[in-house]
Coordinates of all heavy atoms in Angstrom, one line a residue:
M1 N 176.0 271.4 218.5 CA 175.9 272.7 218.0 C 174.4 273.0 217.9 O 173.6 272.2 217.5 CB 176.5 272.8 216.6 CG 176.2 274.1 216.0 SD 177.1 274.4 214.5 CE 177.0 273.0 213.5
N2 N 174.0 274.2 218.4 CA 172.6 274.6 218.4 C 172.2 275.1 217.0 O 173.0 275.6 216.2 CB 172.3 275.6 219.4 CG 172.3 275.0 220.8 OD1 172.0 273.9 220.9 ND2 172.5 275.8 221.8
N3 N 170.9 275.1 216.8 CA 170.4 275.8 215.6 C 169.5 276.9 216.0 O 169.3 277.1 217.2 CB 169.7 274.8 214.6 CG 168.6 274.1 215.3 OD1 167.8 274.7 216.0 ND2 168.5 272.8 215.1
L4 N 168.9 277.6 215.1 CA 168.1 278.8 215.4 C 166.8 278.4 216.2 O 166.4 279.1 217.1 CB 167.7 279.6 214.2 CG 168.9 280.2 213.4 CD1 168.4 280.8 212.1 CD2 169.5 281.3 214.3
I5 N 166.2 277.3 215.9 CA 165.0 276.8 216.6 C 165.4 276.5 218.0 O 164.7 276.9 218.9 CB 164.4 275.6 215.8 CG1 163.9 276.1 214.5 CG2 163.3 275.0 216.7 CD1 163.4 274.9 213.6
S6 N 166.5 275.8 218.2 CA 166.9 275.4 219.6 C 167.2 276.6 220.4 O 166.7 276.7 221.6 CB 168.2 274.5 219.6 OG 167.9 273.3 219.0
E7 N 167.8 277.6 219.8 CA 168.1 278.8 220.6 C 166.9 279.6 221.0 O 166.7 280.0 222.1 CB 169.0 279.8 219.7 CG 169.5 281.0 220.4 CD 168.5 282.1 220.4 OE1 167.7 282.2 219.5 OE2 168.6 283.0 221.3
K8 N 165.9 279.6 220.1 CA 164.6 280.3 220.4 C 163.9 279.5 221.5 O 163.2 280.1 222.4 CB 163.8 280.5 219.1 CG 164.4 281.5 218.2 CD 163.5 281.9 217.2 CE 164.1 282.9 216.2 NZ 164.8 284.0 216.8
Q9 N 163.9 278.2 221.5 CA 163.2 277.4 222.5 C 163.9 277.7 223.9 O 163.2 277.9 224.9 CB 163.3 275.9 222.2 CG 162.5 275.5 221.0 CD 162.8 274.1 220.6 OE1 163.8 273.6 220.7 NE2 161.7 273.5 220.0
Q10 N 165.2 277.7 223.9 CA 165.9 278.0 225.2 C 165.6 279.3 225.7 O 165.3 279.5 226.9 CB 167.4 277.8 225.0 CG 167.8 276.4 224.6 CD 169.2 276.3 224.0 OE1 169.9 277.3 223.9 NE2 169.5 275.2 223.5
R11 N 165.6 280.3 224.8 CA 165.4 281.7 225.3 C 163.9 281.9 225.7 O 163.6 282.5 226.7 CB 165.7 282.7 224.1 CG 165.7 284.1 224.6 CD 166.4 285.0 223.6 NE 166.5 284.6 222.3 CZ 166.0 285.2 221.2 NH1 165.3 286.3 221.3 NH2 166.2 284.7 220.0
L12 N 163.0 281.2 225.0 CA 161.6 281.2 225.4 C 161.3 280.7 226.8 O 160.6 281.3 227.6 CB 160.7 280.5 224.3 CG 159.2 280.4 224.6 CD1 158.6 281.8 224.5 CD2 158.6 279.4 223.6
L13 N 161.9 279.6 227.1 CA 161.7 278.9 228.4 C 162.3 279.8 229.5 O 161.6 280.0 230.5 CB 162.3 277.6 228.4 CG 161.6 276.5 227.6 CD1 162.5 275.2 227.5 CD2 160.3 276.2 228.2
T14 N 163.4 280.4 229.3 CA 164.0 281.2 230.4 C 163.2 282.5 230.5 O 162.9 283.0 231.6 CB 165.5 281.5 230.2 OG1 165.7 282.1 229.0 CG2 166.3 280.2 230.4
S15 N 162.9 283.1 229.4 CA 162.2 284.4 229.5 C 160.8 284.3 230.1 O 160.3 285.2 230.8 CB 162.1 285.1 228.1 OG 161.4 284.3 227.2
I16 N 160.1 283.2 229.8 CA 158.8 282.9 230.4 C 158.9 282.9 231.9 O 158.1 283.4 232.6 CB 158.2 281.6 229.9 CG1 157.7 281.8 228.4 CG2 157.0 281.1 230.8 CD1 157.2 280.6 227.8
L17 N 159.9 282.2 232.4 CA 160.1 282.1 233.9 C 160.3 283.5 234.5 O 159.7 283.8 235.5 CB 161.3 281.2 234.2 CG 161.0 279.7 234.0 CD1 162.3 278.9 234.1 CD2 160.0 279.2 235.1
Y18 N 161.2 284.3 233.9 CA 161.5 285.6 234.4 C 160.3 286.6 234.3 O 160.2 287.5 235.1 CB 162.8 286.2 233.8 CG 164.0 285.6 234.4 CD1 164.8 284.7 233.7 CD2 164.4 285.9 235.7 CE1 165.9 284.2 234.2 CE2 165.5 285.4 236.3 CZ 166.3 284.5 235.5 OH 167.4 284.0 236.1
S19 N 159.5 286.4 233.3 CA 158.4 287.4 233.1 C 157.1 287.0 233.8 O 156.3 287.8 234.1 CB 158.1 287.6 231.6 OG 157.6 286.4 231.1
S20 N 156.9 285.7 234.1 CA 155.6 285.3 234.7 C 155.7 284.4 236.0 O 154.7 284.2 236.6 CB 154.8 284.5 233.6 OG 155.5 283.3 233.3
F21 N 156.9 284.0 236.4 CA 157.0 283.1 237.6 C 156.8 284.1 238.8 O 157.7 284.8 239.1 CB 158.3 282.4 237.6 CG 158.5 281.3 238.6 CD1 157.4 280.5 239.0 CD2 159.7 281.1 239.2 CE1 157.6 279.5 239.9 CE2 159.9 280.1 240.2 CZ 158.8 279.3 240.5
Q22 N 155.7 284.0 239.4 CA 155.4 284.9 240.5 C 155.7 284.2 241.8 O 154.9 283.3 242.3 CB 154.0 285.4 240.5 CG 153.7 286.2 239.2 CD 152.3 286.7 239.2 OE1 151.5 286.5 240.1 NE2 151.9 287.4 238.1
T23 N 156.8 284.6 242.4 CA 157.2 283.9 243.7 C 158.1 284.9 244.4 O 158.8 285.8 243.8 CB 158.0 282.6 243.4 OG1 158.4 282.1 244.6 CG2 159.2 282.8 242.5
D24 N 158.2 284.8 245.7 CA 159.1 285.5 246.5 C 160.4 284.8 246.7 O 161.4 285.3 247.3 CB 158.5 285.8 247.9 CG 157.3 286.8 247.8 OD1 157.3 287.6 246.9 OD2 156.4 286.6 248.7
T25 N 160.5 283.6 246.2 CA 161.7 282.7 246.2 C 162.6 283.2 245.1 O 162.3 283.2 244.0 CB 161.3 281.3 246.0 OG1 160.3 280.9 247.0 CG2 162.5 280.4 246.1
P26 N 163.9 283.5 245.5 CA 164.8 283.8 244.5 C 165.1 282.6 243.6 O 165.1 281.5 244.1 CB 166.1 284.3 245.3 CG 165.9 283.7 246.6 CD 164.4 283.5 246.9
F27 N 165.4 282.8 242.3 CA 165.7 281.7 241.4 C 166.6 282.2 240.3 O 166.8 283.4 240.1 CB 164.4 281.1 240.9 CG 163.7 282.0 239.8 CD1 163.9 281.9 238.5 CD2 162.7 282.9 240.2 CE1 163.3 282.7 237.6 CE2 162.1 283.7 239.3 CZ 162.4 283.6 238.0
L28 N 167.2 281.2 239.7 CA 168.1 281.4 238.6 C 167.6 280.5 237.4 O 167.5 279.3 237.6 CB 169.5 281.2 238.9 CG 170.6 281.3 237.8 CD1 170.6 282.7 237.3 CD2 171.9 280.8 238.3
A29 N 167.3 281.0 236.3 CA 167.0 280.3 235.1 C 168.1 280.6 234.0 O 168.2 281.8 233.7 CB 165.6 280.5 234.6
T30 N 168.7 279.6 233.5 CA 169.8 279.9 232.5 C 169.6 279.0 231.3 O 169.0 278.0 231.3 CB 171.2 279.7 233.1 OG1 171.3 278.3 233.3 CG2 171.4 280.5 234.3
A31 N 170.3 279.4 230.2 CA 170.3 278.6 229.0 C 171.8 278.4 228.6 O 172.5 279.4 228.5 CB 169.5 279.3 227.8
N32 N 172.2 277.2 228.3 CA 173.5 276.8 227.9 C 174.6 277.4 228.8 O 175.6 277.9 228.3 CB 173.7 277.3 226.4 CG 173.2 276.4 225.4 OD1 173.3 275.2 225.6 ND2 172.7 276.9 224.3
V33 N 174.5 277.2 230.1 CA 175.5 277.6 231.0 C 176.1 276.4 231.6 O 175.4 275.4 231.9 CB 174.9 278.5 232.1 CG1 175.9 278.8 233.3 CG2 174.4 279.8 231.5
G34 N 177.4 276.4 231.8 CA 178.1 275.2 232.4 C 177.7 274.9 233.8 O 177.5 275.8 234.6
L35 N 177.4 273.7 234.1 CA 176.9 273.2 235.4 C 178.0 272.3 235.9 O 178.3 271.2 235.4 CB 175.6 272.4 235.2 CG 175.1 271.6 236.4 CD1 174.9 272.5 237.7 CD2 173.8 270.9 236.1
F36 N 178.8 272.8 236.9 CA 179.9 272.1 237.5 C 179.5 271.5 238.8 O 179.1 272.2 239.7 CB 181.1 273.0 237.6 CG 181.7 273.5 236.4 CD1 181.2 274.5 235.7 CD2 182.9 272.8 235.9 CE1 181.8 275.0 234.5 CE2 183.4 273.2 234.7 CZ 182.9 274.3 234.0
H37 N 179.7 270.1 238.9 CA 179.4 269.4 240.2 C 180.6 269.2 241.1 O 180.4 269.0 242.2 CB 178.8 268.0 239.9 CG 177.3 268.1 239.5 ND1 176.3 268.3 240.4 CD2 176.7 268.2 238.2 CE1 175.2 268.4 239.7 NE2 175.4 268.3 238.4
G38 N 181.8 269.2 240.5 CA 183.0 269.0 241.3 C 184.2 269.6 240.7 O 184.2 269.8 239.4
L39 N 185.2 269.9 241.5 CA 186.5 270.4 241.0 C 187.1 269.4 240.0 O 187.0 268.2 240.2 CB 187.4 270.7 242.1 CG 187.0 271.8 243.0 CD1 188.0 271.9 244.2 CD2 187.0 273.2 242.3
K40 N 187.6 269.9 238.9 CA 188.3 269.1 237.9 C 187.4 268.1 237.3 O 187.9 267.1 236.8 CB 189.6 268.5 238.5 CG 190.6 269.5 239.0 CD 191.8 268.9 239.5 CE 192.8 270.0 240.0 NZ 194.0 269.4 240.5
Q41 N 186.1 268.3 237.3 CA 185.1 267.4 236.7 C 184.6 268.2 235.5 O 184.4 269.4 235.5 CB 184.0 267.1 237.6 CG 184.4 266.3 238.9 CD 184.9 264.9 238.5 OE1 184.4 264.2 237.7 NE2 186.0 264.6 239.1
P42 N 184.4 267.5 234.4 CA 183.8 268.2 233.2 C 182.4 268.7 233.5 O 181.7 268.0 234.2 CB 183.9 267.1 232.1 CG 183.9 265.8 232.8 CD 184.6 266.1 234.1
P43 N 182.0 269.8 232.9 CA 180.7 270.3 233.2 C 179.6 269.6 232.3 O 179.9 269.1 231.3 CB 180.8 271.8 232.8 CG 181.8 271.8 231.7 CD 182.8 270.7 232.1
L44 N 178.4 269.7 232.8 CA 177.3 269.4 231.9 C 176.9 270.8 231.4 O 177.1 271.8 232.1 CB 176.1 268.9 232.8 CG 176.3 267.5 233.5 CD1 175.2 267.2 234.4 CD2 176.6 266.4 232.4
V45 N 176.3 270.9 230.2 CA 175.8 272.1 229.7 C 174.4 271.9 229.2 O 174.1 271.8 228.0 CB 176.7 272.6 228.6 CG1 176.3 274.0 228.1 CG2 178.2 272.6 229.0
P46 N 173.4 271.9 230.2 CA 172.0 271.7 229.8 C 171.5 272.9 229.0 O 172.0 274.0 229.2 CB 171.3 271.6 231.1 CG 172.2 272.3 232.1 CD 173.6 272.2 231.6
D47 N 170.5 272.7 228.1 CA 169.9 273.7 227.4 C 169.3 274.7 228.3 O 169.4 275.9 228.1 CB 168.9 273.2 226.4 CG 169.5 272.4 225.3 OD1 170.7 272.7 224.9 OD2 168.9 271.5 224.7
I48 N 168.6 274.2 229.4 CA 168.0 275.1 230.4 C 168.3 274.5 231.7 O 168.3 273.3 231.9 CB 166.4 275.1 230.2 CG1 166.0 275.2 228.8 CG2 165.8 276.1 231.2 CD1 166.2 276.5 228.1
L49 N 168.5 275.4 232.7 CA 168.5 274.9 234.1 C 167.7 275.9 235.0 O 167.7 277.1 234.7 CB 169.9 274.7 234.6 CG 170.9 275.7 235.1 CD1 170.5 276.3 236.5 CD2 172.3 275.2 235.2
L50 N 167.1 275.4 236.0 CA 166.4 276.2 237.0 C 166.8 275.8 238.4 O 166.8 274.6 238.7 CB 164.9 276.0 236.8 CG 164.0 276.6 237.9 CD1 164.0 278.1 237.8 CD2 162.5 276.1 237.7
S51 N 167.2 276.8 239.1 CA 167.6 276.6 240.5 C 166.8 277.5 241.4 O 166.8 278.8 241.2 CB 169.1 276.8 240.7 OG 169.5 276.4 242.0
L52 N 166.1 277.0 242.4 CA 165.3 277.8 243.3 C 166.1 278.0 244.6 O 166.9 277.2 245.0 CB 164.0 277.0 243.6 CG 163.1 276.7 242.4 CD1 162.0 275.8 242.9 CD2 162.6 277.9 241.7
K53 N 165.7 279.1 245.3 CA 166.3 279.4 246.6 C 167.8 279.6 246.5 O 168.5 279.0 247.4 CB 165.9 278.4 247.7 CG 164.4 278.3 247.9 CD 164.1 277.2 248.9 CE 162.5 277.1 249.1 NZ 162.2 276.0 250.0
V54 N 168.2 280.3 245.6 CA 169.7 280.6 245.4 C 169.9 282.1 245.5 O 169.0 282.9 245.1 CB 170.3 280.0 244.2 CG1 170.3 278.5 244.2 CG2 169.6 280.5 242.9
E55 N 171.0 282.5 246.0 CA 171.4 283.9 246.0 C 172.0 284.2 244.6 O 173.0 283.6 244.2 CB 172.5 284.2 247.1 CG 171.9 284.1 248.5 CD 170.9 285.3 248.7 OE1 171.2 286.4 248.3 OE2 169.9 285.0 249.4
V56 N 171.4 285.1 243.9 CA 171.9 285.4 242.6 C 172.9 286.5 242.7 O 172.7 287.5 243.3 CB 170.7 285.9 241.7 CG1 171.2 286.3 240.3 CG2 169.6 284.8 241.6
P57 N 174.1 286.3 242.1 CA 175.2 287.2 242.2 C 174.9 288.6 241.6 O 174.2 288.6 240.6 CB 176.4 286.6 241.5 CG 175.9 285.2 241.1 CD 174.5 285.1 241.3
E58 N 175.3 289.6 242.2 CA 175.2 291.0 241.7 C 176.2 291.2 240.6 O 175.9 291.8 239.6 CB 175.3 292.0 242.8 CG 174.1 292.1 243.7 CD 174.2 293.3 244.6 OE1 174.8 294.3 244.3 OE2 173.7 293.1 245.8
D59 N 177.4 290.7 240.8 CA 178.5 291.0 239.8 C 178.7 289.7 239.0 O 179.4 288.8 239.4 CB 179.8 291.4 240.5 CG 180.9 291.8 239.6 OD1 180.7 291.7 238.4 OD2 182.0 292.1 240.1
W60 N 178.1 289.6 237.8 CA 178.3 288.5 237.0 C 179.6 288.4 236.3 O 180.0 287.3 235.8 CB 177.2 288.5 235.9 CG 175.8 288.3 236.4 CD1 174.9 289.3 236.7 CD2 175.2 287.1 236.8 NE1 173.8 288.8 237.2 CE2 173.9 287.4 237.2 CE3 175.6 285.8 236.7 CZ2 173.0 286.5 237.7 CZ3 174.7 284.8 237.2 CH2 173.4 285.2 237.6
S61 N 180.5 289.4 236.4 CA 181.8 289.4 235.7 C 182.8 288.6 236.5 O 183.9 288.2 236.0 CB 182.3 290.8 235.5 OG 182.5 291.5 236.7
Q62 N 182.6 288.3 237.8 CA 183.6 287.6 238.6 C 183.6 286.1 238.1 O 182.6 285.5 237.7 CB 183.2 287.6 240.1 CG 183.3 288.9 240.7 CD 183.0 288.8 242.2 OE1 182.9 287.7 242.8 NE2 182.7 290.0 242.8
K63 N 184.8 285.6 238.1 CA 185.0 284.2 237.5 C 184.1 283.2 238.2 O 183.6 282.3 237.6 CB 186.5 283.8 237.7 CG 186.8 282.5 237.0 CD 188.3 282.2 237.0 CE 188.6 281.0 236.3 NZ 190.0 280.7 236.2
K64 N 183.9 283.3 239.5 CA 183.1 282.3 240.3 C 181.6 282.4 239.9 O 180.9 281.5 240.2 CB 183.3 282.5 241.8 CG 182.7 283.8 242.3 CD 182.8 283.8 243.8 CE 182.1 285.1 244.4 NZ 182.2 285.1 245.8
N65 N 181.2 283.5 239.2 CA 179.9 283.7 238.8 C 179.6 283.4 237.3 O 178.5 283.6 236.8 CB 179.4 285.1 239.1 CG 179.5 285.4 240.6 OD1 179.4 284.5 241.4 ND2 179.7 286.6 240.9
L66 N 180.6 282.9 236.6 CA 180.4 282.8 235.1 C 179.7 281.5 234.7 O 179.2 281.3 233.6 CB 181.8 282.8 234.4 CG 182.5 284.2 234.5 CD1 183.9 284.1 233.8 CD2 181.7 285.3 233.9
S67 N 179.7 280.5 235.6 CA 179.0 279.2 235.4 C 178.3 278.9 236.7 O 178.3 279.6 237.7 CB 180.1 278.1 235.1 OG 180.7 278.4 233.9
Y68 N 177.5 277.8 236.6 CA 176.8 277.3 237.8 C 177.7 276.3 238.5 O 177.8 275.1 238.2 CB 175.5 276.6 237.4 CG 174.6 276.4 238.6 CD1 173.5 277.3 238.9 CD2 174.8 275.4 239.5 CE1 172.7 277.2 240.0 CE2 174.0 275.2 240.6 CZ 173.0 276.1 240.9 OH 172.2 275.9 242.0
F69 N 178.5 276.8 239.5 CA 179.3 276.0 240.3 C 178.5 275.6 241.6 O 178.1 276.4 242.4 CB 180.6 276.7 240.8 CG 181.4 277.1 239.6 CD1 181.5 278.5 239.2 CD2 182.2 276.2 239.0 CE1 182.3 278.9 238.2 CE2 183.0 276.6 237.9 CZ 183.1 277.9 237.5
V70 N 178.2 274.3 241.7 CA 177.3 273.8 242.8 C 177.9 274.2 244.1 O 177.1 274.6 245.0 CB 177.2 272.2 242.7 CG1 176.5 271.7 243.9 CG2 176.4 271.9 241.4
W71 N 179.2 274.2 244.3 CA 179.8 274.6 245.6 C 179.6 276.1 245.9 O 179.6 276.5 247.0 CB 181.2 274.2 245.7 CG 182.1 274.7 244.6 CD1 182.8 275.9 244.6 CD2 182.4 274.1 243.4 NE1 183.5 276.0 243.5 CE2 183.2 274.9 242.7 CE3 181.9 272.9 242.8 CZ2 183.7 274.6 241.4 CZ3 182.4 272.6 241.5 CH2 183.3 273.5 240.8
E72 N 179.5 276.9 244.9 CA 179.2 278.4 245.1 C 177.8 278.7 245.4 O 177.5 279.5 246.2 CB 179.7 279.2 243.8 CG 181.1 279.2 243.6 CD 181.9 280.0 244.6 OE1 181.4 280.9 245.3 OE2 183.1 279.7 244.7
F73 N 176.9 278.0 244.7 CA 175.4 278.2 244.9 C 174.9 277.4 246.1 O 173.9 277.7 246.7 CB 174.6 277.8 243.7 CG 174.7 278.9 242.6 CD1 175.6 278.8 241.6 CD2 173.8 280.0 242.7 CE1 175.7 279.8 240.6 CE2 173.9 281.0 241.7 CZ 174.8 280.9 240.7
G74 N 175.7 276.4 246.5 CA 175.3 275.6 247.7 C 174.3 274.5 247.5 O 173.9 273.8 248.4
K75 N 174.0 274.2 246.2 CA 173.0 273.2 245.9 C 173.0 272.9 244.4 O 173.4 273.8 243.6 CB 171.6 273.6 246.3 CG 171.1 274.9 245.7 CD 169.8 275.3 246.2 CE 168.6 274.6 245.7 NZ 168.4 274.5 244.3
S76 N 172.5 271.8 244.0 CA 172.3 271.5 242.6 C 171.0 272.1 242.2 O 170.1 272.4 243.0 CB 172.2 269.9 242.4 OG 173.4 269.3 242.7
P77 N 170.9 272.4 240.9 CA 169.6 273.0 240.4 C 168.5 271.9 240.5 O 168.7 270.7 240.5 CB 169.9 273.3 238.9 CG 171.1 272.5 238.6 CD 171.8 272.3 239.8
E78 N 167.2 272.4 240.6 CA 166.1 271.6 240.7 C 165.8 270.9 239.3 O 165.4 269.7 239.3 CB 164.8 272.4 241.0 CG 164.6 272.5 242.5 CD 165.6 273.5 243.2 OE1 166.2 274.3 242.5 OE2 165.8 273.3 244.4
V79 N 166.0 271.6 238.2 CA 165.7 271.0 236.9 C 166.9 271.4 235.9 O 167.3 272.5 235.9 CB 164.4 271.7 236.4 CG1 164.1 271.2 235.0 CG2 163.2 271.4 237.3
A80 N 167.2 270.4 235.1 CA 168.1 270.6 234.0 C 167.5 270.0 232.8 O 167.1 268.8 232.9 CB 169.5 270.0 234.3
I81 N 167.3 270.7 231.7 CA 166.6 270.3 230.5 C 167.5 270.3 229.3 O 168.2 271.2 229.1 CB 165.4 271.2 230.2 CG1 164.4 271.1 231.4 CG2 164.7 270.7 229.0 CD1 163.3 272.2 231.3
E82 N 167.5 269.2 228.6 CA 168.2 269.1 227.3 C 167.2 268.9 226.2 O 166.4 267.9 226.3 CB 169.2 267.9 227.4 CG 170.0 267.8 226.1 CD 171.0 268.9 226.0 OE1 171.4 269.6 227.0 OE2 171.4 269.2 224.9
I83 N 167.1 269.8 225.3 CA 166.1 269.7 224.2 C 166.7 268.8 223.2 O 167.8 269.0 222.7 CB 165.8 271.1 223.6 CG1 165.2 272.0 224.7 CG2 164.9 271.0 222.4 CD1 165.0 273.4 224.3
V84 N 166.0 267.8 222.8 CA 166.5 266.7 221.9 C 166.5 267.3 220.5 O 165.6 267.9 220.0 CB 165.6 265.5 221.9 CG1 166.1 264.4 220.9 CG2 165.6 264.9 223.3
S85 N 167.6 267.1 219.8 CA 167.7 267.6 218.4 C 167.0 266.6 217.5 O 166.7 265.5 217.8 CB 169.2 267.7 218.0 OG 169.8 266.5 217.8
N86 N 166.9 267.1 216.3 CA 166.2 266.2 215.3 C 167.2 265.4 214.5 O 166.9 264.7 213.5 CB 165.4 267.1 214.3 CG 166.3 268.1 213.6 OD1 167.5 268.2 213.8 ND2 165.7 268.8 212.7
K87 N 168.5 265.3 214.9 CA 169.5 264.5 214.3 C 169.9 263.3 215.2 O 169.9 263.4 216.4 CB 170.8 265.3 214.0 CG 170.6 266.4 213.0 CD 171.9 267.2 212.8 CE 172.4 266.8 211.5 NZ 173.7 267.5 211.2
I88 N 170.1 262.2 214.6 CA 170.6 261.0 215.3 C 172.1 261.2 215.5 O 172.8 261.6 214.6 CB 170.3 259.8 214.5 CG1 168.8 259.6 214.4 CG2 171.0 258.6 215.2 CD1 168.4 258.4 213.5
G89 N 172.5 261.0 216.7 CA 173.9 261.2 217.0 C 174.3 260.4 218.3 O 173.6 259.6 218.8
N90 N 175.5 260.7 218.8 CA 176.0 260.1 220.0 C 175.5 260.8 221.2 O 176.0 260.8 222.2 CB 177.5 260.0 220.0 CG 178.0 259.1 218.8 OD1 177.3 258.1 218.5 ND2 179.1 259.4 218.2

């Protein structure tokens, strides 16, 4: 479960990329979005992910666009970040 500080860190990282990353390369930066590597495999849900050179869907409401399905984007993301919490856990 996230807390307010974690949510702000995630939003800060993605918003910085969208506001200042100057490139002609299309990219997708997300926070807390399911990352699926295979059918019937449980997803990873990184706090932040960045994928370069991907076609970003125009219609986000379609089921195939609701998560990061590697087979739909054609590649794994370049970076997946998990922000460590301040609690000891599993």
Side-chain angles (χ1 to χ4, degrees):
M1 175 170 45
N2 285 335
N3 58 44
L4 293 173
I5 294 171
S6 296
E7 186 276 334
K8 291 195 182 308
Q9 290 171 332
Q10 294 161 9
R11 193 165 17 121
L12 177 65
L13 288 171
T14 57
S15 64
I16 286 171
L17 285 168
Y18 281 108
S19 65
S20 65
F21 191 37
Q22 297 182 4
T23 180
D24 293 330
T25 303
F27 70 93
L28 177 65
T30 67
N32 276 327
V33 170
L35 168 59
F36 291 83
H37 282 278
L39 293 172
K40 299 183 181 180
Q41 298 295 315
L44 299 173
V45 186
D47 290 332
I48 314 295
L49 78 76
L50 172 65
S51 189
L52 303 172
K53 299 180 184 176
V54 293
E55 289 292 323
V56 179
E58 285 187 33
D59 184 0
W60 292 98
S61 66
Q62 291 183 16
K63 188 174 181 176
K64 69 178 185 175
N65 299 333
L66 294 178
S67 294
Y68 193 101
F69 298 107
V70 171
W71 57 92
E72 291 291 339
F73 283 95
K75 62 186 280 305
S76 294
E78 275 68 26
V79 177
I81 299 171
E82 184 68 25
I83 299 170
V84 178
S85 72
N86 59 355
K87 291 181 112 182
I88 296 173
N90 294 327

